[in-house]
Amino acid sequence: LTLTRAVWGYALGVTGRLDEARAVCQRLKATSARYLSPEHVGIVYLGMGEMDRVLDWMERAIDARSQVVALLEIDPILDPLRGHPKFMNMLQGIRERRST
């Protein structure tokens, strides 16, 4: 259910319906922590173009050992983050953890 909401919020954001996307984001954040995957909130922020917030939520996902970690390098939805220094540092940190 939260993934469906996240994708809906993303779609609202990329189509310029920012107020509605923000409302979806708020509903996601109000979800019980045990059911909330941080990357879902990040996806909504991605749709709204709020890259710093996306990165903050992706860091939370990494800290929570979410499945998104396996997709960070390949998921095309994250392409807008590829040149961002913070994103590149995240990927480097993941690679370093894998090699140890």
Side-chain angles (χ1 to χ4, degrees), residues 23-93:
V24 169
C25 195
Q26 291 306 314
R27 279 189 297 242
L28 280 172
K29 289 179 189 179
T31 302
S32 170
R34 83 179 193 174
Y35 297 110
L36 178 63
S37 295
E39 68 270 17
H40 294 166
V41 176
I43 289 169
V44 179
Y45 281 123
L46 183 64
M48 292 188 287
E50 297 185 23
M51 298 309 172
D52 288 332
R53 287 187 174 182
V54 175
L55 293 164
D56 290 343
W57 282 91
M58 290 302 164
E59 281 185 332
R60 291 180 190 192
I62 292 167
D63 291 344
R65 300 188 187 277
S66 173
Q67 296 174 352
V68 75
V69 173
L71 302 174
L72 285 176
E73 293 186 87
I74 60 170
D75 193 336
I77 199 170
L78 300 174
D79 284 352
L81 298 173
R82 303 256 175 249
H84 196 289
K86 188 173 180 180
F87 186 73
M88 293 167 54
N89 287 337
M90 270 190 239
L91 293 178
Q92 184 60 36

Side-chain angles (χ1 to χ4, degrees), residues 3-13 17 20-21 24 27 44:
L3 177 58
T4 303
R5 281 192 183 151
V7 172
W8 177 243
Y10 172 84
L12 290 168
R17 296 166 62 180
E20 292 171 85
V24 169
R27 279 189 297 242
V44 179

